[in-house]
Amino acid sequence: GETFVIPEAVTPAAGARVMSLQDPTSKMSKSDDSGAGCVYLIDEPAAVMKKFKRAVTDSDSGPDAVRYDRETKPGVATHLDIHAAVTNRTPEQVADDYVQYGALKVATGEAVLAVLDPIRLRYQELMDDPGELARLLRVGADKAREVASATLERTHSAIGMVPR
């Protein structure tokens, strides 16, 4: 009913599963030993660009080297998937813009940074101001408590339990 709503999965066309920059057959993971295959939200811009520039592609060359083919070109497909996800395009549309891997790698890194920079900068602002961070955490906790108490009350009523 209205109390226990079954969630619907949201799977975006691009970026639903982000693959590792170093092993494009595996999912990007923070448990990657080297850290080179994963981009963190607060990575410095130079580190993000370095990861994309060193990312695995393949040895193809020529005018059709940059094409979306997850099976035969997983490294290139990873770049195209990431670029598409952060620019609201399809991987095929992104591929049409590039003929060389180097340009694709740089453009993908820059597109990712355009999304991550505001997050990284806000994180740094908050970490530099512990008082403001504590205040925002209190405000968030108060809002969460208010929403949760209403949900908990509906839950108790729906299952016939009497709250303490």
Side-chain angles (χ1 to χ4, degrees):
E2 292 181 25
T3 302
F4 300 109
V5 179
I6 296 175
E8 290 184 33
V10 177
T11 308
R17 183 176 174 148
V18 181
M19 306 309 278
S20 168
L21 296 175
Q22 291 301 306
D23 178 6
T25 61
S26 299
K27 197 172 83 163
M28 189 179 281
S29 172
K30 64 183 180 182
S31 62
D32 175 19
D33 289 337
S34 72
C38 182
V39 175
Y40 297 96
L41 293 177
I42 58 172
D43 273 349
E44 289 296 321
V48 172
M49 291 306 295
K50 183 177 181 179
K51 289 177 184 185
F52 277 101
K53 287 178 182 179
R54 291 186 174 182
V56 171
T57 50
D58 58 45
S59 59
D60 280 356
S61 60
D64 69 334
V66 178
R67 67 182 184 281
Y68 189 74
D69 185 341
R70 171 68 43 208
E71 295 301 315
T72 63
K73 301 175 80 59
V76 176
T78 295
H79 278 78
L80 295 171
D81 281 334
I82 293 169
H83 197 293
V86 298
T87 59
N88 294 316
R89 298 168 67 197
T90 67
E92 294 80 9
Q93 288 170 327
V94 175
D96 288 343
D97 292 345
Y98 301 96
V99 293
Q100 295 179 326
Y101 296 149
L104 172 62
K105 289 179 176 188
V106 169
T108 302
E110 289 172 346
V112 167
L113 283 173
V115 172
L116 295 185
D117 274 349
I119 296 167
R120 182 182 51 79
L121 293 171
R122 181 64 175 141
Y123 170 84
Q124 199 55 56
E125 284 175 15
L126 291 172
M127 295 311 290
D128 289 344
D129 188 350
E132 175 64 0
L133 179 57
R135 185 190 74 76
L136 289 173
L137 288 171
R138 278 191 308 277
V139 168
D142 290 344
K143 280 184 183 178
R145 199 173 297 108
E146 184 178 321
V147 170
S149 67
T151 302
L152 191 57
E153 189 175 308
R154 283 195 323 272
T155 302
H156 285 148
S157 176
I159 62 174
M161 290 183 66
V162 178
R164 294 192 252 165

